[in-house]
Each structure stands twice: as structure tokens, then as C-alpha cells.
Amino acid sequence: MDDTTTMIAGLRFLIVEDHGFQRWAIRHMLEELGAGNVLEAGDGRAALAILRDPHARVDIIISDLDMPGMDGMEFIRHAGAEGIAVSFILASALDRALISSVETMTTAYGIDLLGAIKKPVTANALVAAIRRYSLPRPHIERQPAAPIFTLAEIAQGFANREFESYFQPKVELATGAIKGVEALARWRHPQKGVVSPGAFIKLLEDSGHIDGLTMAMLDMSAICCRTWREGGLDATVSVNLSHKSLADVAFADRVTERVLAQNLDPRHVVLEVTESAATTHLGTALENLSRLRMRGFGLAIDDYGTGYSSMQQLSRIAFTELKIDQSFVRSASTQKSSRVILESSLEMAKRLNILAVAEGVETRPDWDLLVSLGCDLGQGYFVAAPMETGAFFHWLKTWKLSI
């Protein structure tokens, strides 16, 4: 058996489809591909009953959308609300634009979506979606329910030096050369393990203590960047800024002092801000960002395309990078609207003479499409997941473009 057949043979499927013949056809395809465990349900309610059975285990659900009783959308909502650990493939004859909306809805409900297939379902389309199951997925790093911490616990974590930087590379799509690295905050909690920022960022922002984390990240990131640059790697390091920090007129001075204290030139640091960050406390935010840019720091607008003011921010601030949100990158090969937004974003970056960075590059097709469209840099699990410092430096020694 080839790798795909072996993988499919080890997976358990649930087909949710009200039409008996179509259920049979999909089941027959799966069994021809090697699947040995396939369950069936006539609508969402019957599917939920199967998933709630403690003895049942389902890896991938192939679900129709338009069904009597509980339709596919309601089923997806319930699956997300109950935190059911399963991946979905949507199969529908509905209009492509409507399917695209449901794809976005599915991920918003916290469901891992492998893809959407236009009916009639074919074996090739089914295999292409199933293959994504074996890839590293961004959702794996997220915790289903983030631990709840108090400010005192977070402060103790700082005192114990439990916070650290994880690093994810940004590579030149045309060559595979490493051009930048994004630093991402992680808390190595003694009981909870590695905790992602969703569990502590908001509390730090709301309590006015986010600067402590930002400065610590700057220190750690600058030290690592200096190390890899001394080793011959010409790559910048990117650090995320909070909108709360930009409200302080002295913030740019503090950032500059921290980076220079680590003997790193500001030109080698890129500061990432979301478009919403630059709209809060507009005057001081613009002053800080302008001062940082004047001192040589790079500026990146993060998650471009997800808000209402992206183009306005590009006209206000001297950005050096435009980071296209992963939601458009991942769906560009299947959704016309995402493809149009991706192409227009790349054209915008080119006309403004700034680097275009695609986030969420997960698959070879993602990579190939971005190369064909002339995108500058890519970042995502297809290249590497975020890594702790030691693993990252080992990765640097072994990385090569093997596609």
C-alpha cells in the first residue's frame, strides 16, 4: 500500500448525508481507498448521537450542508460548542460563494476544516482533502480551553523566568532563503506545560502590565537575532506590539533602549502591529510608530485584510512589510474571493514598494500558488512550526528548500 492508502486505512470516518445513494457512493470511495471503519448518519442530529457515544471514535467527518432536520451548519455549531475533536470535510452542491461563507463559519466555531468538495464528490477530491489531515495544523498548538490564570500567577511566572520566545521563520518564496524570524511568546508553566499567549495576553493588556512581556520579548529576541547574525544568517527578528503600549509617548524610547542594550542595530528588528492597534490612541500611536521607523526599525502591518481600516493604515504609517492574513492564504486555491483579496494585497504591496509576507502557508499548493503570484516571503507550518530557542537553532543548521 502507498502512504495515502496506509493513512486512510488507519482513520475512522463518519459520512453525514441525507441522500442514501450519495452516502453509499462516498462510503464505496472510502473503502476503495482503503478505509476500514466508516460510519453513516442521515443528518446532524444522528451524527451528534454517534459522536457523543463514549465508545465511538471518529477522525474525519464528511458532511453535507443542506439536509432536513439538523442541517450541516447547525451540526457544525454543536460540534464546535461541545469541543468535539474531529476534522471536517464539507461536501455540497451549493453555490461556491455560499460554501466559502460556511468554511469561514466552520473555522470560527473552532472546527478543523480539511477542505470543501463540490458535489458530485470524486475520489481525487476526497484524497486531496484527507491528505491535509496528516499535516501539522495550527489548531494543534491551541488549547481547547485556555487555563485561567490570575495576574499574581503571571507575575510569579515572570519572576521565575518561565516566559520565553518561540521562533517561526519567514522564508523567501523564490529561493527558500531565511529572511526573517517571528518571535512568539510562550509560558513554560511548571504544571500546565507550554501555555500559548491567548491565556495571558489579554489579562496583561487589561491590567496595564503588557509592557513587561513586550520588553522581555525584545530582550530575548534581540539576543537570539544577534547570535544568528554573528553566525552569518542575514535575517531580521519580528516582535509583536500591543495597542496598549502605543498609547505611551515614551514607548518608542524604551524599545530603542532595550534593543541597543543588546548590541543589535534597530534595522534588524521588525515591529508587528495589527491594523486596530494603530487606530487606538491615534496620535500617540502614530508618533511612536513614526519615531521607531525613523530610528531604523521595520514596521509590519499584521493580519492584513481582516479589518475595515487596512488601506487607511497603509496610507498613515510607513510600513515596511504587509503580512497577509492566513485565512486568505489557506483558502486562496479554493475560494475565488480569497484569491482576489490575496492578489490585490500582493499588488498593493508591490506598488507601495514594501515586502509582502503570506501567513499560514500550510501546504505545497499554498507555496506554489504564492510563488506563481510573486509573493516575497512565506511563513507557516509548511516551512516550520514555532520552535523553542534550542530547536530553532538546530533547525537553522538543517533547513534547506526541499520542494
Side-chain angles (χ1 to χ4, degrees), residues 4 69 79 95 102 114 119 122 126-127 172 182 197 205 220 229 248 265 279 292 305 337-338 360 363 367 382 389:
T4 300
D95 179 75
V102 177
L114 300 179
K119 287 185 176 180
T122 66
L126 208 51
V127 168
E172 189 172 58
E182 181 175 1
E205 287 183 331
M220 291 183 284
R229 294 192 68 83
D248 180 358
D265 192 309
T279 61
L292 289 165
S337 57
S338 293
T363 66
W367 178 286
F382 183 66
T389 306

Side-chain angles (χ1 to χ4, degrees), residues 41-67:
D43 71 353
R45 187 168 287 104
L48 280 176
I50 292 172
L51 295 174
R52 288 166 179 162
D53 182 343
H55 301 293
R57 182 175 72 82
V58 174
D59 300 304
I60 297 176
I61 295 172
I62 302 165
S63 180
D64 190 13
L65 295 177
D66 188 9
M67 297 179 286

Side-chain angles (χ1 to χ4, degrees), residues 6 89 94 126 154 163-164 239 270 283 393:
T6 303
I89 297 172
L94 295 174
L126 208 51
I154 296 173
F163 285 79
E164 60 185 75
V239 178
V270 178
F393 278 103

Side-chain angles (χ1 to χ4, degrees), residues 216-332:
M217 290 292 293
L218 278 168
D219 287 344
M220 291 183 284
S221 302
I223 290 170
C224 288
C225 183
R226 189 186 69 228
T227 301
W228 70 59
R229 294 192 68 83
E230 289 173 349
L233 178 65
D234 183 14
T236 60
V237 67
S238 300
V239 178
N240 291 278
L241 300 186
S242 167
H243 68 280
K244 297 285 187 177
S245 299
L246 293 173
D248 180 358
V249 292
F251 181 69
D253 291 335
R254 295 204 306 278
V255 169
T256 306
E257 289 168 5
R258 297 303 277 257
V259 171
L260 292 177
Q262 301 301 336
N263 296 315
L264 185 66
D265 192 309
R267 293 182 300 109
H268 302 141
V269 179
V270 178
L271 302 171
E272 298 193 6
V273 295
T274 61
E275 56 193 84
S276 59
T279 61
T280 309
H281 305 286
L282 181 59
T284 51
L286 291 175
E287 181 179 348
N288 273 311
L289 293 172
S290 298
R291 183 167 288 114
L292 289 165
R293 185 71 195 98
M294 181 175 65
R295 291 173 180 171
F297 289 92
L299 296 178
I301 181 168
D302 201 8
D303 301 332
Y304 181 78
T306 58
Y308 297 106
S309 55
S310 301
M311 294 179 69
Q312 186 179 45
Q313 299 304 359
L314 284 172
S315 68
R316 285 174 169 172
I317 300 166
F319 286 109
T320 57
E321 290 185 11
L322 185 154
K323 298 194 73 176
I324 304 167
D325 187 72
Q326 60 184 336
S327 62
F328 303 115
V329 175
R330 289 204 304 263
S331 58

Side-chain angles (χ1 to χ4, degrees), residues 191-214:
Q191 283 81 45
K192 304 290 186 180
V194 178
V195 179
S196 295
F200 53 84
I201 290 289
K202 188 174 188 305
L203 182 56
L204 288 172
E205 287 183 331
D206 292 346
S207 63
H209 290 83
I210 190 64
D211 274 9
L213 176 63
T214 302

